[in-house]
Amino acid sequence: MMYGWLWRHLPGPWPVRAVIALALAAAVVVACFLWLYPAVAPYMPFNETTVGE
């Protein structure tokens, strides 16, 4: 449902839409790795390991 809405609202013929959709997906992945994951990492419980003590 969401992807259909996005596809219908992208401009141009299908090759242009495909390039724009891939660029948007890449931007989301980059944003997650640069800002989201580092912000959430300190709150994750698996960062508190006791190996080696």
Side-chain angles (χ1 to χ4, degrees):
M1 186 167 111
M2 177 184 72
Y3 299 113
W5 179 88
L6 179 63
W7 188 257
R8 286 189 303 273
H9 286 84
L10 289 176
W14 77 265
V16 175
R17 289 180 182 189
V19 170
I20 294 171
L22 288 173
L24 288 173
V28 168
V29 169
V30 168
C32 286
F33 276 101
L34 289 178
W35 295 297
L36 179 66
Y37 298 153
V40 175
Y43 302 106
M44 302 315 295
F46 50 80
N47 285 339
E48 301 171 8
T49 60
T50 58
V51 176
E53 289 184 12

Coordinates of all heavy atoms in Angstrom, one line a residue:
M1 N 0.8 -1.2 0.0 CA 0.0 0.0 0.0 C 0.9 1.3 0.0 O 0.7 2.1 -0.8 CB -0.9 0.0 1.2 CG -1.9 1.1 1.2 SD -3.2 0.8 2.4 CE -2.8 2.1 3.6
M2 N 1.8 1.3 0.9 CA 2.7 2.5 1.0 C 3.6 2.6 -0.3 O 3.8 3.7 -0.8 CB 3.6 2.4 2.2 CG 4.5 3.6 2.3 SD 5.7 3.5 3.7 CE 6.7 2.2 3.2
Y3 N 4.1 1.5 -0.7 CA 5.0 1.6 -1.9 C 4.2 1.9 -3.1 O 4.7 2.6 -4.0 CB 5.7 0.2 -2.1 CG 6.5 -0.1 -0.9 CD1 6.2 -1.2 -0.1 CD2 7.6 0.6 -0.5 CE1 7.0 -1.6 1.0 CE2 8.4 0.3 0.6 CZ 8.0 -0.8 1.3 OH 8.8 -1.1 2.4
G4 N 3.0 1.5 -3.2 CA 2.1 1.9 -4.4 C 1.9 3.4 -4.4 O 1.9 4.1 -5.4
W5 N 1.6 4.0 -3.2 CA 1.4 5.4 -3.1 C 2.7 6.2 -3.5 O 2.6 7.1 -4.2 CB 1.0 5.8 -1.6 CG 0.8 7.2 -1.5 CD1 -0.3 7.9 -1.6 CD2 1.8 8.2 -1.1 NE1 -0.1 9.3 -1.4 CE2 1.2 9.5 -1.1 CE3 3.2 8.2 -0.8 CZ2 1.9 10.6 -0.7 CZ3 3.8 9.3 -0.5 CH2 3.2 10.5 -0.4
L6 N 3.8 5.7 -3.0 CA 5.1 6.3 -3.4 C 5.4 6.2 -4.9 O 5.7 7.2 -5.5 CB 6.2 5.7 -2.6 CG 7.6 6.2 -2.8 CD1 7.7 7.7 -2.4 CD2 8.7 5.4 -2.1
W7 N 5.1 5.1 -5.4 CA 5.4 4.9 -6.9 C 4.5 5.8 -7.7 O 4.9 6.3 -8.7 CB 5.2 3.4 -7.2 CG 5.6 3.1 -8.6 CD1 4.7 2.9 -9.7 CD2 6.9 2.9 -9.1 NE1 5.5 2.6 -10.8 CE2 6.8 2.6 -10.5 CE3 8.1 3.0 -8.5 CZ2 7.9 2.4 -11.3 CZ3 9.2 2.7 -9.3 CH2 9.1 2.4 -10.7
R8 N 3.2 5.9 -7.3 CA 2.3 6.8 -8.1 C 2.7 8.3 -8.0 O 2.4 9.1 -8.9 CB 0.9 6.6 -7.6 CG 0.3 5.3 -8.0 CD -1.2 5.3 -7.7 NE -1.5 5.5 -6.3 CZ -1.6 4.5 -5.4 NH1 -1.3 3.3 -5.7 NH2 -1.8 4.8 -4.1
H9 N 3.3 8.7 -6.9 CA 3.7 10.1 -6.7 C 5.1 10.5 -7.2 O 5.4 11.7 -7.2 CB 3.5 10.5 -5.3 CG 2.0 10.6 -4.9 ND1 1.3 9.5 -4.5 CD2 1.2 11.6 -4.8 CE1 0.1 9.9 -4.2 NE2 0.0 11.2 -4.4
L10 N 5.8 9.5 -7.6 CA 7.1 9.9 -8.2 C 7.0 10.3 -9.6 O 6.1 9.8 -10.4 CB 8.1 8.6 -8.2 CG 8.6 8.2 -6.8 CD1 9.4 6.9 -6.9 CD2 9.4 9.3 -6.2
P11 N 7.7 11.4 -10.0 CA 7.6 11.9 -11.4 C 8.3 11.1 -12.4 O 9.2 10.3 -12.1 CB 8.2 13.3 -11.3 CG 9.3 13.1 -10.2 CD 8.7 12.1 -9.3
G12 N 7.9 11.2 -13.7 CA 8.6 10.6 -14.8 C 8.1 9.2 -15.2 O 7.3 8.6 -14.5
P13 N 8.7 8.6 -16.2 CA 8.4 7.3 -16.6 C 9.1 6.3 -15.7 O 9.8 6.7 -14.8 CB 9.0 7.2 -18.0 CG 10.1 8.2 -18.1 CD 9.6 9.3 -17.1
W14 N 8.8 5.0 -15.9 CA 9.2 4.0 -14.9 C 10.7 3.9 -14.7 O 11.2 3.7 -13.6 CB 8.6 2.6 -15.2 CG 9.2 1.9 -16.3 CD1 8.8 1.8 -17.6 CD2 10.4 1.0 -16.2 NE1 9.7 1.0 -18.3 CE2 10.6 0.5 -17.5 CE3 11.3 0.7 -15.2 CZ2 11.7 -0.3 -17.8 CZ3 12.3 -0.1 -15.4 CH2 12.5 -0.6 -16.7
P15 N 11.6 4.1 -15.7 CA 13.0 4.1 -15.4 C 13.5 5.2 -14.5 O 14.3 5.0 -13.6 CB 13.7 4.2 -16.8 CG 12.7 3.8 -17.8 CD 11.4 4.2 -17.2
V16 N 12.9 6.4 -14.7 CA 13.2 7.5 -13.8 C 12.7 7.3 -12.4 O 13.4 7.5 -11.4 CB 12.6 8.8 -14.4 CG1 12.8 10.0 -13.4 CG2 13.2 9.1 -15.7
R17 N 11.5 6.7 -12.3 CA 10.9 6.4 -11.0 C 11.8 5.4 -10.3 O 12.0 5.4 -9.1 CB 9.5 5.8 -11.2 CG 8.5 6.8 -11.6 CD 7.2 6.1 -11.7 NE 6.1 7.1 -12.2 CZ 4.9 6.8 -12.2 NH1 4.4 5.6 -11.9 NH2 4.0 7.7 -12.6
A18 N 12.3 4.4 -11.0 CA 13.1 3.4 -10.4 C 14.4 4.0 -9.8 O 14.8 3.6 -8.7 CB 13.4 2.3 -11.4
V19 N 15.0 4.9 -10.6 CA 16.3 5.5 -10.1 C 16.0 6.4 -8.9 O 16.7 6.3 -7.9 CB 16.9 6.4 -11.2 CG1 18.0 7.2 -10.7 CG2 17.4 5.5 -12.3
I20 N 14.9 7.1 -8.9 CA 14.5 7.9 -7.7 C 14.2 7.1 -6.5 O 14.6 7.4 -5.4 CB 13.3 8.9 -8.1 CG1 13.7 9.9 -9.1 CG2 12.8 9.6 -6.8 CD1 12.6 10.7 -9.7
A21 N 13.5 6.0 -6.7 CA 13.1 5.1 -5.6 C 14.4 4.5 -5.0 O 14.5 4.3 -3.8 CB 12.2 4.0 -6.1
L22 N 15.4 4.1 -5.9 CA 16.6 3.5 -5.4 C 17.4 4.6 -4.6 O 18.0 4.3 -3.6 CB 17.4 2.9 -6.5 CG 16.9 1.6 -7.1 CD1 17.7 1.3 -8.3 CD2 17.0 0.5 -6.1
A23 N 17.4 5.8 -5.1 CA 18.1 6.9 -4.4 C 17.5 7.2 -3.0 O 18.2 7.4 -2.1 CB 18.1 8.1 -5.3
L24 N 16.2 7.1 -3.0 CA 15.5 7.3 -1.7 C 15.8 6.2 -0.7 O 16.0 6.5 0.5 CB 14.0 7.4 -1.9 CG 13.5 8.7 -2.6 CD1 12.0 8.6 -2.9 CD2 13.7 9.9 -1.7
A25 N 15.8 5.0 -1.2 CA 16.1 3.8 -0.3 C 17.5 3.9 0.2 O 17.8 3.7 1.4 CB 15.9 2.5 -1.1
A26 N 18.5 4.3 -0.7 CA 19.8 4.5 -0.3 C 20.0 5.6 0.7 O 20.7 5.5 1.7 CB 20.7 4.8 -1.5
A27 N 19.2 6.7 0.6 CA 19.3 7.8 1.5 C 18.8 7.3 2.9 O 19.3 7.7 3.9 CB 18.5 9.0 1.0
V28 N 17.7 6.5 2.9 CA 17.2 6.0 4.2 C 18.2 5.1 4.9 O 18.5 5.2 6.1 CB 15.9 5.3 4.0 CG1 15.5 4.5 5.2 CG2 14.8 6.3 3.6
V29 N 18.9 4.3 4.1 CA 19.9 3.4 4.7 C 21.1 4.2 5.2 O 21.6 3.9 6.4 CB 20.4 2.4 3.7 CG1 21.6 1.6 4.1 CG2 19.3 1.4 3.3
V30 N 21.5 5.2 4.5 CA 22.7 6.0 4.9 C 22.3 6.8 6.2 O 23.0 6.9 7.2 CB 23.1 7.0 3.8 CG1 24.0 8.0 4.3 CG2 23.8 6.2 2.7
A31 N 21.1 7.3 6.2 CA 20.6 8.1 7.4 C 20.5 7.2 8.6 O 20.9 7.6 9.8 CB 19.2 8.7 7.1
C32 N 20.1 5.9 8.5 CA 20.0 5.0 9.6 C 21.4 4.7 10.1 O 21.7 4.7 11.3 CB 19.4 3.7 9.2 SG 17.6 3.8 9.0
F33 N 22.4 4.5 9.2 CA 23.8 4.1 9.7 C 24.5 5.3 10.3 O 25.3 5.2 11.2 CB 24.6 3.5 8.6 CG 24.3 2.1 8.4 CD1 23.5 1.6 7.4 CD2 24.9 1.1 9.3 CE1 23.3 0.2 7.2 CE2 24.7 -0.2 9.1 CZ 23.9 -0.7 8.1
L34 N 24.2 6.5 9.8 CA 24.9 7.7 10.3 C 24.3 8.3 11.6 O 25.0 8.8 12.4 CB 24.9 8.8 9.2 CG 25.8 8.5 8.0 CD1 25.8 9.7 7.0 CD2 27.3 8.3 8.5
W35 N 23.0 8.3 11.7 CA 22.3 9.0 12.8 C 21.5 8.1 13.7 O 21.6 8.2 14.9 CB 21.5 10.1 12.3 CG 22.3 11.2 11.6 CD1 23.2 12.0 12.2 CD2 22.2 11.5 10.2 NE1 23.8 12.8 11.2 CE2 23.2 12.5 10.0 CE3 21.5 11.1 9.1 CZ2 23.4 13.1 8.8 CZ3 21.7 11.7 7.9 CH2 22.6 12.7 7.7
L36 N 20.7 7.2 13.1 CA 19.7 6.5 14.0 C 20.5 5.4 14.8 O 20.3 5.3 16.0 CB 18.7 5.8 13.1 CG 17.7 5.0 13.8 CD1 16.8 5.8 14.8 CD2 16.8 4.2 12.9
Y37 N 21.2 4.5 14.1 CA 21.9 3.4 14.8 C 22.9 3.9 15.9 O 22.9 3.4 17.0 CB 22.5 2.5 13.9 CG 21.6 1.8 12.9 CD1 22.0 1.3 11.7 CD2 20.2 1.6 13.2 CE1 21.1 0.7 10.8 CE2 19.4 1.0 12.3 CZ 19.8 0.6 11.1 OH 19.0 0.0 10.2
P38 N 23.7 4.9 15.6 CA 24.6 5.4 16.7 C 23.9 6.0 17.8 O 24.3 5.9 19.0 CB 25.5 6.4 16.0 CG 25.5 6.0 14.6 CD 24.1 5.5 14.3
A39 N 22.7 6.6 17.6 CA 21.9 7.2 18.7 C 21.3 6.2 19.6 O 21.1 6.4 20.8 CB 20.9 8.2 18.1
V40 N 20.9 5.1 19.0 CA 20.2 4.0 19.7 C 21.2 3.0 20.4 O 20.9 2.4 21.4 CB 19.2 3.3 18.8 CG1 18.6 2.1 19.5 CG2 18.2 4.2 18.3
A41 N 22.4 2.9 19.9 CA 23.3 1.9 20.3 C 23.6 1.9 21.8 O 23.7 0.9 22.5 CB 24.6 2.0 19.6
P42 N 23.8 3.1 22.5 CA 24.1 3.1 23.9 C 22.9 2.5 24.8 O 23.2 2.1 25.9 CB 24.3 4.5 24.3 CG 24.6 5.2 23.0 CD 23.9 4.4 21.9
Y43 N 21.7 2.4 24.2 CA 20.6 1.9 25.0 C 20.3 0.5 24.8 O 19.4 -0.1 25.4 CB 19.4 2.7 24.6 CG 19.5 4.2 24.9 CD1 19.7 5.1 23.9 CD2 19.6 4.7 26.2 CE1 19.9 6.5 24.1 CE2 19.7 6.1 26.4 CZ 19.9 6.9 25.4 OH 20.1 8.3 25.6
M44 N 21.1 -0.2 23.9 CA 20.9 -1.6 23.6 C 21.5 -2.5 24.7 O 22.6 -2.2 25.1 CB 21.4 -2.0 22.2 CG 20.9 -1.2 21.1 SD 19.2 -0.9 21.0 CE 18.4 -2.4 20.8
P45 N 20.8 -3.5 25.1 CA 21.3 -4.3 26.3 C 22.5 -5.2 25.9 O 23.3 -5.6 26.8 CB 20.1 -5.2 26.6 CG 19.3 -5.2 25.4 CD 19.5 -3.9 24.7
F46 N 22.7 -5.5 24.6 CA 23.8 -6.4 24.3 C 25.1 -5.7 24.2 O 26.1 -6.3 23.9 CB 23.5 -7.1 22.9 CG 23.1 -6.2 21.8 CD1 24.0 -5.4 21.1 CD2 21.7 -6.1 21.5 CE1 23.6 -4.6 20.1 CE2 21.3 -5.3 20.4 CZ 22.2 -4.6 19.7
N47 N 25.2 -4.4 24.5 CA 26.4 -3.7 24.6 C 27.1 -3.9 26.0 O 28.3 -3.5 26.2 CB 26.2 -2.2 24.4 CG 26.0 -1.9 22.9 OD1 26.3 -2.6 22.1 ND2 25.4 -0.7 22.7
E48 N 26.4 -4.5 26.9 CA 26.9 -4.7 28.3 C 27.4 -6.1 28.5 O 26.7 -6.9 29.1 CB 25.8 -4.3 29.3 CG 25.4 -2.9 29.2 CD 24.1 -2.6 30.1 OE1 23.8 -3.5 30.9 OE2 23.6 -1.6 29.9
T49 N 28.5 -6.5 27.9 CA 29.0 -7.8 28.0 C 30.0 -7.9 29.1 O 30.6 -7.0 29.6 CB 29.7 -8.2 26.7 OG1 30.8 -7.3 26.5 CG2 28.8 -8.2 25.5
T50 N 30.1 -9.2 29.6 CA 31.0 -9.4 30.8 C 32.1 -10.4 30.4 O 32.7 -11.1 31.2 CB 30.2 -9.9 32.0 OG1 29.5 -11.1 31.6 CG2 29.3 -8.9 32.5
V51 N 32.4 -10.6 29.1 CA 33.4 -11.5 28.7 C 34.8 -11.0 29.1 O 35.1 -9.8 28.9 CB 33.3 -11.7 27.1 CG1 34.4 -12.6 26.7 CG2 32.0 -12.2 26.8
G52 N 35.6 -11.8 29.7 CA 36.9 -11.5 30.1 C 37.0 -11.0 31.5 O 38.1 -10.7 32.0
E53 N 36.0 -11.0 32.3 CA 36.1 -10.6 33.7 C 36.2 -11.8 34.6 O 35.7 -12.8 34.4 CB 34.9 -9.8 34.1 CG 34.9 -8.4 33.5 CD 33.7 -7.5 33.9 OE1 33.1 -7.9 34.9 OE2 33.5 -6.5 33.4

